[in-house]
Amino acid sequence: MNEQEWVLLIARAQFALTMGMHITLAALTLGLAPFLVWFEARWLWGKRAAARQALYFWLKVFALTVAIGTVSGVVMEFQFGTHWAGLSRVAGGFIGPLMLYEVLIAFFLESALTGVMLFGMGRISPKVHFTVTCCVALGAIISAFWILAANSWMQTPVDFHFTDGGQIVPNRALSLIAAPSFGWRLAHMLLASLISVAVLLGGVAAWRLRRKRQEGASRLMLRSAITVTLVALPLQILIGDLHGENTRDYQPAKLAAIEGSWHSPPAGEGEPLRLFAIPNQSLQRNEYEVAVPQIASLYLRHNLSGHIKSLSAFPAAALPPVLPVFFAFRLMVGIGLLLLAGSLIANVQRWRGRLFTSPRTLALLSWMSPLGFIALLSGWIVTEMGRQPWTVYGILRTADSLSPLSLTATLSIFVSVILIYGMSFLFGLRFLLRHFSAPLPAADAELVAESVRTPA
């Protein structure tokens, strides 16, 4: 590879690293906020001491992720200027306003009110504090709204025109949220965040219950988590299917890479479901393929004979990297089915009255703790790598979006980002592991302390 190709590779790797970490933190805050609202509501109106303990326990985690996530988000967005000046120059008329709206929401609603939520216990009335918690949850959703609006437009750009200078500008204000994939992507991400946090929360609660089976807060956490997964996982499968239909219509090369479909089947035969294969992009075929005939047509076309546009129908230079997209999608789906099975097992045990006394069920839920976030990251690999070689799909190539950086500058920045993000990640992980095993705050002591702090 020449120097420019190395610069492009390193810049893409850096953006993938920063985005991967940021999306994990963003999903954690986005999915955890509704649980904080639920725990606080149970304490205010049910006077459940266990709910108050659960609120305190997860509030510290939420505050940490907001703090680190805000910083990582700023670093990620700075890259649009430092590494992707070509994208900013051409598509800044679309992306700039959306990033501004997200920053305003993230800084002035979510981040500021998180401080009030964290330090306001005992200093503001309980009902005002609950309102603040609800506003923080709303702020997380609004922040995700603007970020996903920008990403969805880059994936499925519509309703724009070019200026004489070659810049893309929206035709009208509502064009900023008019991307046809936006609604499905937003719903998919909101559910993915909620499911990921529910699996983590349930796993932490199950781990604690293996040691203290009578811990009321952990019992409440586990019941809440498996209830959410029982509802959200089937709904996510439905949303995922509809999102896939949207991808079929607007990003056919991505869908063909997901399916590993190099050539269309003969007329009258449906698309096979490829359970396993090793895509060979240079030869345009799959090695060691294991497939079930026609089954893929059921979810792709809702019949047994429908086809999709195959990879061979596109120029080789316009194809995404098929192998990582193919495997990331199967990892995401496989984990999703495993989580659904685990949720069903846990809820059956709950209905039988054995949830808190079954060591195997608690162990299963404990080991499943990180799987939701692994599936979420796999989904983003499919999303981002599947649109390559474009930053704005079909309009602006990734290679043309790059800033004129030298290899030395790009590499030095990349190494610095790895060191800073690595230390932040290790610090956060160490805190979480220690916090998950720490004793819960004594409910009575907290109530006494709050009564002392509360102004007359």
Side-chain angles (χ1 to χ4, degrees):
M1 293 193 298
N2 59 37
E3 180 174 329
Q4 188 66 13
E5 290 173 331
W6 275 110
V7 170
L8 177 60
L9 179 63
I10 295 170
R12 288 183 60 192
Q14 179 178 315
F15 194 83
L17 172 67
T18 55
M19 181 180 176
M21 181 173 178
H22 180 69
I23 205 67
T24 301
L25 295 168
L28 186 53
T29 59
L30 186 60
L32 187 53
F35 281 102
L36 297 181
V37 173
W38 168 245
F39 292 145
E40 189 160 7
R42 291 295 302 273
W43 173 68
L44 285 179
W45 283 277
K47 300 304 178 184
R48 294 281 304 273
R52 182 180 178 82
Q53 288 180 303
L55 173 65
Y56 271 34
F57 184 80
W58 288 101
L59 185 56
K60 292 180 180 180
V61 176
F62 185 86
L64 175 68
T65 54
V66 168
I68 299 179
T70 299
V71 175
S72 68
V74 170
V75 172
M76 189 182 71
E77 291 182 8
F78 265 125
Q79 291 176 96
F80 287 112
T82 59
H83 288 67
W84 305 104
L87 173 64
S88 300
R89 179 184 60 80
V90 174
F94 254 100
I95 298 173
L98 296 171
M99 293 294 100
L100 174 64
Y101 300 152
E102 190 275 334
V103 168
L104 289 175
I105 295 297
F107 277 86
F108 294 104
L109 181 58
E110 185 181 3
S111 299
L113 291 182
T114 295
V116 178
M117 184 173 64
L118 182 63
F119 300 109
M121 285 284 190
R123 295 176 174 83
I124 57 178
S125 72
K127 290 185 178 180
V128 172
H129 190 277
F130 178 71
T131 302
V132 170
T133 304
C134 291
C135 289
V136 169
L138 178 62
I141 294 172
I142 296 174
S143 180
F145 177 93
W146 293 117
I147 286 291
L148 291 170
N151 183 269
S152 298
W153 182 82
M154 292 168 69
Q155 298 276 348
T156 53
V158 294
D159 206 16
F160 63 91
H161 64 273
F162 286 94
T163 66
D164 293 338
Q167 285 81 35
I168 299 173
V169 294
N171 291 336
R172 52 199 175 96
L174 289 178
S175 300
L176 296 173
I177 55 174
S181 64
F182 176 42
W184 302 122
R185 199 177 310 279
L186 177 62
H188 200 56
M189 182 61 188
L190 291 177
L191 283 170
S193 300
L194 186 61
I195 291 167
S196 299
V197 170
V199 173
L200 174 65
L201 191 145
V204 171
W207 184 83
R208 296 182 67 91
L209 287 169
R210 292 171 67 187
R211 290 153 179 77
K212 298 180 181 179
R213 291 189 178 178
Q214 302 305 316
E215 195 170 69
S218 294
R219 289 187 170 215
L220 174 62
M221 286 187 265
L222 183 53
R223 286 196 302 268
S224 302
I226 63 174
T227 300
V228 167
T229 56
L230 184 63
V231 175
L233 280 164
L235 184 58
Q236 181 72 310
I237 293 173
L238 174 62
I239 295 297
D241 179 68
L242 295 172
H243 191 14
E245 291 186 15
N246 181 272
T247 303
R248 178 196 67 201
D249 296 337
Y250 291 95
Q251 292 181 293
K254 177 189 290 187
L255 183 62
I258 289 171
E259 294 299 321
S261 177
W262 292 103
H263 306 282
S264 296
E269 292 185 19
E271 293 280 349
L273 169 59
R274 296 170 180 87
L275 299 174
F276 177 83
I278 300 179
N280 188 325
Q281 195 146 352
S282 61
L283 298 178
Q284 291 202 348
R285 71 184 187 191
N286 294 324
E287 310 285 354
Y288 310 106
E289 181 175 291
V290 178
V292 182
Q294 298 183 288
I295 297 300
S297 291
L298 284 175
Y299 58 83
L300 294 171
R301 290 292 185 180
H302 298 162
N303 57 52
L304 287 173
S305 59
H307 293 173
I308 61 172
K309 197 171 182 179
S310 65
L311 290 163
S312 61
F314 301 92
L319 293 181
V322 179
L323 190 145
V325 173
F326 181 86
F327 278 107
F329 180 80
R330 276 146 188 78
L331 179 61
M332 177 187 69
V333 172
I335 290 176
L337 294 176
L338 179 61
L339 295 181
L340 180 59
S343 178
L344 291 173
I345 291 170
N347 278 283
V348 168
Q349 292 289 65
R350 176 186 180 182
W351 296 329
R352 290 178 175 178
R354 302 174 184 173
L355 177 61
F356 305 126
T357 58
S358 172
R360 291 183 179 179
T361 303
L362 294 177
L364 173 65
L365 296 174
S366 299
W367 282 107
M368 286 170 54
S369 298
L371 291 185
F373 287 99
I374 295 174
L376 185 144
L377 288 173
S378 299
W380 274 101
I381 289 173
V382 174
T383 297
E384 295 304 301
M385 296 194 75
R387 75 169 163 184
Q388 294 302 315
W390 311 96
T391 45
V392 180
Y393 191 76
I395 297 173
L396 180 65
R397 286 182 171 268
T398 305
D400 297 329
S401 304
L402 193 64
S403 299
L405 292 172
S406 68
L407 178 59
T408 302
T410 306
L411 188 59
S412 61
I413 294 172
F414 184 45
V415 171
S416 300
V417 167
I418 289 177
L419 292 175
I420 295 171
Y421 272 63
M423 288 188 293
S424 300
F425 177 80
L426 291 175
F427 166 77
L429 183 61
R430 182 171 178 267
F431 170 84
L432 289 178
L433 292 177
R434 293 180 61 183
H435 183 69
F436 289 157
S437 60
L440 292 173
D444 293 340
E446 291 291 346
L447 289 170
V448 170
E450 177 154 327
S451 66
V452 173
R453 292 193 303 265
T454 302

